[in-house]
Amino acid sequence: DIGAKGVVIRFVTLHVGKGTFGMIKADDVNDHRMEKEYFEIDDGLIDEIKDVKASGKRVVTVGTTTTRAIEGYLSGNWQDAGYTTQDKDSSSCIMNHESCIRGTTDIFIYPGYKFRAVDSLVTNFHLQRSTPLLLASALCGTEKLKEAYQIAIEGRYRFFSYGDAMLIL
């Protein structure tokens, strides 16, 4: 239905690591280190994102790992996985294109981060002291996120990966 309204939908391949689900144990957020996660992005998608941004339209990601993959790549905080199309099963890249960027990123996005592509995000209500919670806070602001969480608590929303979701505009 949203495609019929002119929304362009694209895909990335993600291999979510256990680091996404781990809690931040460091007292200072600057001391926390993310584990690398593998991603595949059609390099045509990068051009599309740049075109969308140049036109003044919004880039919406679904999921914090998708956000990390795109922002990791665009910020230069990624490492080439070193695979060629012949090395990897070509079906592993959702887009099945030879021009697929395969890499890993350990980017840790928290308040103060300047987003290069992402304007909006569909994500779950995440647990406290989690990296996805900080990413959401970086996008919408800590106070707005606290307000949303208060509404979620009062409404008895389900939290974590298979819980209720929110749209951060």
Side-chain angles (χ1 to χ4, degrees), residues 2 10 82 108:
I2 64 173
R10 297 292 180 257
F108 179 27

Side-chain angles (χ1 to χ4, degrees), residues 128-147:
Q128 62 185 354
R129 296 194 66 85
S130 69
T131 59
L133 179 69
L134 287 183
L135 186 150
S137 181
L139 190 59
C140 71
T142 303
E143 291 308 312
K144 285 188 179 185
L145 193 63
K146 284 181 182 179
E147 290 174 27

Side-chain angles (χ1 to χ4, degrees), residues 73-84:
Y73 177 78
L74 289 174
S75 70
N77 186 343
W78 73 289
Q79 300 76 41
D80 190 318
Y83 298 121
T84 66

Side-chain angles (χ1 to χ4, degrees), residues 8-21:
V8 178
I9 300 170
R10 297 292 180 257
F11 298 91
V12 298
T13 299
L14 307 165
H15 294 239
V16 179
K18 64 182 180 178
T20 291
F21 301 103

Side-chain angles (χ1 to χ4, degrees), residues 66-108:
T66 302
T67 304
R68 288 184 62 236
I70 292 170
E71 290 290 331
Y73 177 78
L74 289 174
S75 70
N77 186 343
W78 73 289
Q79 300 76 41
D80 190 318
Y83 298 121
T84 66
T85 304
Q86 292 78 25
D87 294 332
K88 291 288 281 181
D89 175 2
S90 63
S91 66
S92 68
C93 190
I94 283 179
M95 292 67 61
N96 281 333
H97 293 127
E98 290 185 25
S99 58
C100 189
I101 301 159
R102 293 179 170 96
T104 60
T105 186
D106 60 359
I107 190 170
F108 179 27

Side-chain angles (χ1 to χ4, degrees), residues 26-33 108 110:
D27 290 330
D28 184 339
V29 72
N30 295 302
D31 294 332
H32 180 76
R33 298 290 170 252
F108 179 27
Y110 55 91

